[in-house]
Amino acid sequence: MKKVFYLLLLLPFMFACSESSDEDEMVPEVNEEYIAAKNYYNNTLKSVITTNCVSCHEGYHSRSNGSNYGELTNAINSATTMYNQVNSGNMPKDGDKLSQTDIAKFEEFKNLVDAIE
Ligand code: HEC
């Protein structure tokens, strides 16, 4: 009977530990630079990606077989490639080159990601 009591005591802690958001999982250290990149992504870059990229880059079933850049972790891991692709006009595939304003957003995000670690 005592054992059950101790188990019940532990329950709330077990739940507390299992709560974590998907997007933070791959990034081991959450530092100031990471938070800056995350905020920039959410507030500025994500809408550009949603409008111009996600139709093809939406995960395992995407046309490119690439990552879903609509998710922060993937965007962080691909920050440099994404910038290179939009800056060269290679992406969006078969579409018009992005405006300089939008390309600059990819560049800024790449710089913020480079600053992490
Ligand atoms: C019309 C579909 C389409 C759109 C829209 C599109 N892509 Fe792609 N993308 C592809 C395909 C297909 C590939 C695979 C390589 C190729 O065929 O050129 C690719 C490749 C890439 C790659 C190389 C890594 C990989 O996943 O294979 C990057 C980085 C990339 N795209 C970024 C972007 C970004 C950023 C945008 C939005 C600005 C975008 N793409 C919009 C279809 C698309």
Side-chain angles (χ1 to χ4, degrees), residues 48-57 62-67 69 78-86 90-96 98 106:
V48 180
I49 290 180
T50 305
T51 309
N52 299 289
C53 319
V54 166
S55 58
C56 297
H57 292 280
S62 72
R63 277 181 55 186
S64 71
N65 270 328
S67 305
Y69 303 133
S78 302
T80 303
T81 5
M82 282 197 302
Y83 167 65
N84 290 340
Q85 293 283 341
V86 296
N90 211 27
M91 290 288 147
K93 197 174 175 65
D94 307 329
D96 290 338
L98 294 184
F106 279 93

Side-chain angles (χ1 to χ4, degrees), residues 23-24 27 30-38 72 76 116:
E23 54 183 23
D24 292 341
V27 181
V30 176
N31 53 24
E32 252 175 62
E33 289 81 6
Y34 170 79
I35 291 166
K38 176 183 176 164
L72 178 65
I76 284 182
I116 301 176

Side-chain angles (χ1 to χ4, degrees), residues 28-29 31 33-34 112-117:
E29 266 180 72
N31 53 24
E33 289 81 6
Y34 170 79
L112 289 168
V113 168
D114 284 346
I116 301 176
E117 280 159 6

